[in-house]
């Protein structure tokens, strides 16, 4: 549940931006944007459910069955409903008349289904359309104290489970990736999390060389490097953390050097973070280090992504992004090296940007060795 004053503050800032840019309305669909601006959350579905925010109004167009639910969960009390035996586009047109949208400028939720953008275009053929992120991205980039608290708690749970899973040691050998992923999910819930924030990655042996391999039927073997990438939700905010471990036995010959290089690349990127630099400088720090170590061409993704109500959101830490880093931003730093057919290594922590650098939200051990071994 988002605090009412936080919603009022977000709406006010959104409205100011709309007015300043001459935008007539934002039209949100069930998504993190709708939740951010209203406190009401639902899954996308085939029924028309929109939140309109204009420079001086905020109102819902919603199925009748949602009336009480929205009023309970959101401080926005202007809820216009349509029933299942009505055509919702008639209500859409009348709201358009009221907000004077006919020839206006609308920003639609980036994640609105095409089905509904088509209705908006048909209902307001003379309007011009853009994406809600043009206004909301900046608003959501800097996290407030409540958001940071939720992200810290999600990171704490991921760390605790990361450490406890390592302690399986040789007991993890013989489990399938799917069995271990289920066990991770169970432990995240037990530690106070609310489900997994994305499909848990258990990439054992050669499967670890596919950065977004999730989990399959492969059995974990002695000596396998295993990429473990997971997180859980707390208060609507996700964890996202990766460690690459060897539960038992001796890893492949090149593994230790690769792991050491990825760890150094992650540290170089984190050392580079400070307010005022561009996102691409953080990416460059990790990439240059891996290039020097001879693995540059095996680092096949960006260095990180913002984390907030969505697991992946701006700022994206890519080689091209010139967005300036600001205090309050939260993003992942997750370089990786992937040797197809052999193994992969990724190490990921979330960081929050401070006034003079950054603070890691994750602090579980980054070694690949079992925790009781010398490292
Ligand atoms: N699990 C996907 C990521 O770390 O971005
Ligand atoms: Mn991850
Ligand atoms: Mn990530």
């Amino acid at each position: 549940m988002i605090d009412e004053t936080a919603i009022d503050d977000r709406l006010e800032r959104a409205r100011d931006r709309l007015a300043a840019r001459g935008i007539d309305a934002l039209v949100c669909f069930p998504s993190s944007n709708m939740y951010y601006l209203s406190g009401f959350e639902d899954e996308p579905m085939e029924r028309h459910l929109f939140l309109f925010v204009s420079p001086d109004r905020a109102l819902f167009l919603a199925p009748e069955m949602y009336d009480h639910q929205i009023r309970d969960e959101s401080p926005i009390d202007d809820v216009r409903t349509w029933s299942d035996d009505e055509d919702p586009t008639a209500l859409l047109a009348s709201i358009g008349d009221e907000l004077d949208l006919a020839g206006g400028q609308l920003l639609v939720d980036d994640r609105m289904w095409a089905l509904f953008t088509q209705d908006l275009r048909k209902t307001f053929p003379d309007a011009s359309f853009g994406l809600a992120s043009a206004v909301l991205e900046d608003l959501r980039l800097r996290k407030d104290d409540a958001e940071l608290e939720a992200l810290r708690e999600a990171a704490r749970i991921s760390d605790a489970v990361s450490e406890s899973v390592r302690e399986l040691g040789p007991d993890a050998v013989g489990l399938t990736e799917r069995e271990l992923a289920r066990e991770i999910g169970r432990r995240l819930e037990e530690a106070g999390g609310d489900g997994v924030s994305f499909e848990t990655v258990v990439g054992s042996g050669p499967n670890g060389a596919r950065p977004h391999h999730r989990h399959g039927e492969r059995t974990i073997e002695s000596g396998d490097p295993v990429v473990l990438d997971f997180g859980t939700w707390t208060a609507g905010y996700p964890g996202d953390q990766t460690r690459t471990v060897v539960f038992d036995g001796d890893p492949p010959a090149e593994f230790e050097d690769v792991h050491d290089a990825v760890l150094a690349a992650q540290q170089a990127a984190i050392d580079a973070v400070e307010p005022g630099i561009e996102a691409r400088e953080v990416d460059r720090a990790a990439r240059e280090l891996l290039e020097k170590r001879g693995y540059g061409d095996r680092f096949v993704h960006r260095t990180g992504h913002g984390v907030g109500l969505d697991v992946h959101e701006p700022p994206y830490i890519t080689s091209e992004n010139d967005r300036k880093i600001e205090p309050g931003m939260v993003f992942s730093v997750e370089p990786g090296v992937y040797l197809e057919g052999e193994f992969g290594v990724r190490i990921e922590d979330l960081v929050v940007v401070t006034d003079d650098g950054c603070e890691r939200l994750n602090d579980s051990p980054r070694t690949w060795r079992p925790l009781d071994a010398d490292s």
Side-chain angles (χ1 to χ4, degrees):
M1 188 79 164
I2 308 176
D3 177 51
E4 186 169 336
T5 52
I7 301 271
D8 288 346
D9 176 58
R10 291 171 187 180
L11 281 171
E12 191 181 320
R13 287 188 292 138
R15 288 195 185 110
D16 286 350
R17 285 173 158 79
L18 294 178
R21 296 181 189 199
I23 307 289
D24 295 286
L26 275 173
V27 191
C28 297
F29 184 63
S31 68
S32 53
N33 285 332
M34 182 179 278
Y35 181 60
Y36 184 80
L37 288 175
S38 75
F40 174 73
E41 189 179 23
D42 197 34
E43 291 174 359
M45 59 166 169
E46 77 290 357
R47 289 183 168 98
H48 289 66
L49 200 177
F50 301 151
L51 168 67
F52 289 85
V53 179
S54 75
D56 56 4
R57 307 271 285 280
L59 62 93
F60 278 98
L61 175 156
E64 190 175 27
M65 59 194 271
Y66 280 79
D67 192 16
H68 296 294
Q69 194 177 336
I70 292 174
R71 290 177 197 280
D72 270 359
E73 293 176 21
S74 174
I76 297 171
D77 58 6
D78 191 350
V79 183
R80 318 285 178 91
T81 62
W82 57 277
S83 71
D84 273 350
D85 48 15
E86 280 175 327
D87 174 4
T89 58
L91 181 55
L92 183 59
S94 85
I95 290 172
D97 286 345
E98 234 180 277
L99 300 183
D100 203 14
L101 302 182
Q105 289 205 53
L106 304 184
L107 298 183
V108 299
D109 204 307
D110 298 42
R111 297 185 183 195
M112 183 180 281
W113 288 356
L115 186 69
F116 299 109
T117 55
Q118 185 162 301
D119 270 355
L120 287 167
R121 284 182 187 279
K122 274 192 194 153
T123 309
F124 309 116
D126 298 324
S128 68
F129 291 86
L131 293 176
S133 55
V135 162
L136 295 182
E137 184 175 311
D138 276 357
L139 233 59
R140 288 179 47 175
L141 274 171
R142 293 174 77 132
K143 274 52 184 180
D144 63 28
D145 288 347
E147 292 181 292
L148 287 176
E149 193 184 321
L151 286 160
R152 273 183 216 288
E153 177 62 4
R156 188 195 63 74
I157 293 172
S158 305
D159 280 334
V161 172
S162 173
E163 288 199 46
S164 85
V165 165
R166 274 173 188 280
E167 284 165 10
L168 285 169
D171 291 343
V173 173
L175 295 179
T176 65
E177 293 173 346
R178 187 179 305 281
E179 286 167 337
L180 185 55
R182 269 204 207 114
E183 179 60 21
I184 289 169
R186 200 185 61 69
R187 291 183 188 209
L188 288 168
E189 289 271 351
E190 206 174 79
D194 184 13
V196 290
S197 41
F198 51 89
E199 281 285 325
T200 294
V201 174
V202 179
S204 66
N207 287 342
R210 311 275 168 97
H212 273 185
H213 168 80
R214 294 185 289 182
H215 48 260
E217 297 307 328
R218 187 179 181 281
T219 298
I220 296 167
E221 295 171 12
S222 180
D224 274 348
V226 186
V227 177
L228 299 171
D229 182 355
F230 56 81
T232 188
W233 298 101
T234 51
Y237 287 80
D240 183 11
Q241 179 236 51
T242 308
R243 300 288 181 260
T244 303
V245 306
V246 178
F247 285 108
D248 188 43
D250 296 323
E254 202 180 353
F255 171 78
E256 211 167 325
D257 187 58
V258 175
H259 192 278
D260 188 64
V262 172
L263 193 57
Q266 198 214 26
Q267 187 63 53
I270 286 176
D271 288 345
V273 177
E274 63 179 352
I277 65 157
E278 295 174 351
R280 60 187 174 188
E281 295 177 62
V282 179
D283 181 86
R284 191 179 310 134
R287 211 163 290 283
E288 280 182 359
L289 197 133
L290 287 173
E291 278 161 11
K292 271 193 209 130
R293 295 285 295 257
Y295 299 115
D297 63 338
R298 301 292 80 220
F299 178 22
V300 292
H301 54 70
R302 63 195 177 201
T303 291
H305 54 87
V307 176
L309 284 172
D310 291 313
V311 183
H312 288 188
E313 63 175 42
Y316 295 106
I317 311 300
T318 70
S319 59
E320 297 295 322
N321 191 358
D322 61 1
R323 180 181 275 282
K324 292 263 179 22
I325 297 297
E326 298 171 40
M329 287 180 170
V330 173
F331 52 84
S332 70
V333 180
E334 51 176 308
V337 166
Y338 306 94
L339 304 183
E340 179 62 18
E342 298 178 57
F343 61 84
V345 174
R346 182 167 63 261
I347 301 171
E348 173 178 27
D349 290 311
L350 303 187
V351 300
V352 54
V353 182
T354 59
D355 287 338
D356 57 0
C358 72
E359 173 201 335
R360 291 192 205 233
L361 298 185
N362 299 100
D363 66 1
S364 59
R366 296 173 191 88
T367 173
W368 57 269
R369 299 171 194 274
L371 288 184
D372 56 356
D374 294 331
S375 53

